[in-house]
Amino acid sequence: MTIFSTKTLTAVAVAATIAGVASIANAGECRRAEASMDKPGGFPDRALTMIVPYGPAGGSGQVAAAMAEAVTELTGVSINRDHKPGGSGSVGMTAYMAMPADGYNVLEHIDDASSAHALDSSKPNPASDLTPLVVSQVTFSQIYIRSNETRFTDWPSFVEWVKAQDGKATIANVSAEGSMERVTMKFITDATGMKIQQISFDKGAPRYGALLGGQVDALFEQPGDVRKFLDAGNFKPILSIFNERPGIFADVPTHREMGMDFEPLLRFRGFYVHKGIPEDRLNWLKWAFQRAYCQDSYQKYNDSKFMNVIDSYRDTEGAIKLISNSINQYREVYKEMGLDVK
Amino acid sequence: MWENFLTGTATLFGDPFTIAIFIFGVLGGMLFGAIPGVSMLTLAAILLPFTADLDPAQGVMLFAVIYCTGTYGGAITAILFNIPGAPENAPTSFDGYPMTRQGKAAKAVGAAVLCSAIGGTASALVMMLATEPLAKWAIMNIGPPEIFALVFFGLAVASTVGGRTIWKGWLSVLLGLLIATIGQDPVGGINRYNFGFSDLAAGIAFVPAILGFFAVSEVFVQAEKKASGKYEAPELSVNFPTFRELWAHKIAVIRSIFVGFFCGILPGIGATLAAFMGYGEAVRWSKNKEEFGKGKLEGVISSETANNAATGAAMIPLLALGLPGGALTAMMVAVFQMHDLEPGPLVFYNSPDLIWIVFAAMFYANLSILFIGLLETKTILYLLKIPFQFLAPLILMLASIGAYIGRGLVLDVMVMFAAGIIGFLLRRSGYSIPGIVLGLILGKIGEQNFAQGMQMVHYDLVTYFSRPICTILIVAGALTLLRGVYSAIQSSRSTEAV
């Protein structure tokens, strides 16, 4: 096969080594010290149910499977995953809110729940209407181009080229109204003065195919989701939307270095329970999910998704802070964008 | 290639445990594909955690085999009971079920078995020969504008199937398109027609709608006949299609292999569009279009060949580029990742053994459809002997479970019964149930790609029509529509003259 250059394979090896080092570093970061905890009053005496508001094959489905496996390994308690996809997570959220608040039901959700609440306060606030057990994936976004792209090669030349196209350049993302992607793209276009057509793809495969095939000029995505294309040398990151350069992407400039002064919105996935479940059950669940984050199987999974490139762990307090800050930030931006904030 | 294939075959059949997994995949895929509402995806989701304990090649091979046989499995219930096991089997029921009512169930099932095997095997062979160049061609040349043009063409071609008049056929398709707009719009995420119900934000799911329009409405129709003393149980025949009958449809088979394969290699599209397009092309090229939807063997042949031809093709973007073509291939990505592998170009370099075991397994899985399918058919046909008063509640119960199990929402069961009632009433008035389902399924794919395509061409039609594939498909679709109008007007003039 001619498509594999020595350079590509070396890059893969380097990436794997760095990821391994990151794994070791993060294993030491597990902040839940207790290796075991007694079940309060025999709870749980049966399997837990985990509502996953997305399909089994996507990022949420995979993190739910990895966390369920880690919790079962740790505690011996089985977890049945119930996928309820649709409506940007709203179908799963509604189903979960209707379930009994007895500690036997857990919800997986992503930052979409925070942005949905920011736009419409009648929707549950994940920080106050639910109790976060743990946020186990936190990641940042990047802008990618094809590695063999010749029209531009880095962020400055990309911006220059986009401006010359007078609004006809394209970028693939998930740009539903109020989404993290659309808000971040607003920050970027406002800061650079460039006009770019956002093409919204709700599924990953067509989105990545669009960049590979030259249907779009750039891609907005998180590194873990395009890792295979990075490893294969198909995609090249030209901008990290993060306050400092993550070690593994040390040669990619950040948005701040490129003169864009905004606080980056992060993509995060976590696990929640109803507000008001018995305190002893809540404490046990917090222990189980926070400790499961440290399990080798879960750490291995997070490494494979570039999810340990930055600190991916938030306990309950940290998660509440992360979610609340995100909601406030989204709400301010929505108002600026003229959206109908309820 | 042959050396690699033989090595893959030797590895596949050289280990008893691997053979057991292969057989489990073949039988499990057929079984789950055939149970209404429960699909190969259900089986795959159940098995996903267990694949971590398998060898990577065994895990990926298991899913590939389930994909092949599961795509076929739903044809049996589509033909015998008007209950497509999955959306990709829906067009099979258009003619398959009428054949059952006419006492030709064995003919339809036999054709489905044979054509699924032929379509799948041909697809697997092309997959082995040309995975990398085909994937690259598709990615470079087919984007959202082309996919929308393809959907438009498909709708134009097949819009008249099953309607009493061309106008009723089109109205049926338009109703399907309208239903497809319920839920969040595919680009901006704006809610439409959800009337404040958050469950409707996800739109109308395909499976409950299909079960309602086909299975439930059929139960109502037969119940009405039973109540009025006009019910006739379908004749039980075990007359398989003859070689001559199948040979007469060789062009339809070849055409469906091409159509199915083409749809299969498009990322995110897969077997459902393939089945509808295969069926639509059969209608378009037929001299007796009016016979479709009424029990024409060619309808079954075209649909089942095309959906299985998409299975091998869907592996092409997955293996060559890491881009899954549908839900099951997306789950295969997870299987790869559980073993520290990523599908994509590197997998050919890093794990050639795995690739060739998978290729070999898909080839043999498609062949096994032929042998196991024909063996099981004679047994399954005897289900038709169950008296209607026992069969009808059984169908309703299975359909209800099938509608509920996908997302665990009571709404889906309500949608199913609503679709059943609407379908029952519309059928009495000569509207087309296949047309509604066609509009619903292709509408969702079409709308998304239309919106993306328009954004890509900056809402400029000149730019849109500068893409040759778009121009060809849109013009061909428009001509087909105009020809239909012309024929309808001519026909109505002739009737008036008489």
Side-chain angles (χ1 to χ4, degrees), chain A residues 252-273:
Chain A
V252 181
T254 68
H255 69 288
R256 288 201 187 274
E257 291 169 350
M258 291 292 105
M260 290 172 268
D261 184 25
F262 63 86
E263 195 55 34
L265 290 163
L266 299 174
R267 170 119 291 160
F268 53 89
R269 298 189 177 104
F271 299 87
Y272 304 81
V273 286

Side-chain angles (χ1 to χ4, degrees), chain A residues 1-4 8-9 12 56-57 62 65 69 81-88 90-91 94-95 123 167-170 174-178 182 197-206 208-210 212-216 224 227-229 231-232 234 300-301 304-305, chain B residues 45 48-49 52 132 136 138-146 184 186-191 198-202 267-268 321-324 327 330-331 333-334 337-338 340 342-350 404 406-409 448 452 455-456 458-460 463 467:
Chain A
M1 296 238 167
T2 54
I3 50 176
F4 311 112
T8 301
L9 294 172
V12 173
Q62 289 179 41
E69 184 192 337
R81 279 166 285 130
D82 189 357
H83 295 270
K84 293 187 186 297
S88 303
S90 63
V91 173
T94 306
K123 294 190 173 167
K168 294 206 168 176
T170 52
V174 187
S175 63
E177 186 180 52
R182 188 179 276 195
Q197 177 69 54
Q198 297 176 59
I199 316 286
S200 181
F201 293 85
D202 65 342
K203 287 182 186 159
Y208 311 144
L212 274 178
Q215 308 283 343
V216 293
R227 179 169 186 166
K228 58 176 171 274
F229 299 104
D231 289 351
N234 300 128
K300 197 175 155 197
Y301 169 73
S304 73
K305 291 290 172 187
Chain B
L48 192 57
E132 199 178 328
K136 286 190 173 164
I139 293 296
M140 298 298 287
N141 292 286
I142 310 290
E146 285 77 16
Q184 289 188 340
V187 171
I190 310 295
N191 281 318
S198 61
D199 287 351
L200 273 178
L321 302 164
L323 298 169
M331 279 195 210
V333 174
Q337 288 171 342
M338 285 165 91
D340 290 335
E342 284 289 348
L346 284 176
V347 83
F348 281 86
Y349 183 86
N350 291 332
Y404 180 77
R407 299 190 298 175
L409 297 178
Q448 181 157 29
Q452 290 164 346
Q455 287 176 332
M456 273 182 186
H458 315 287
Y459 302 93
D460 177 9
T463 310
R467 301 171 77 116

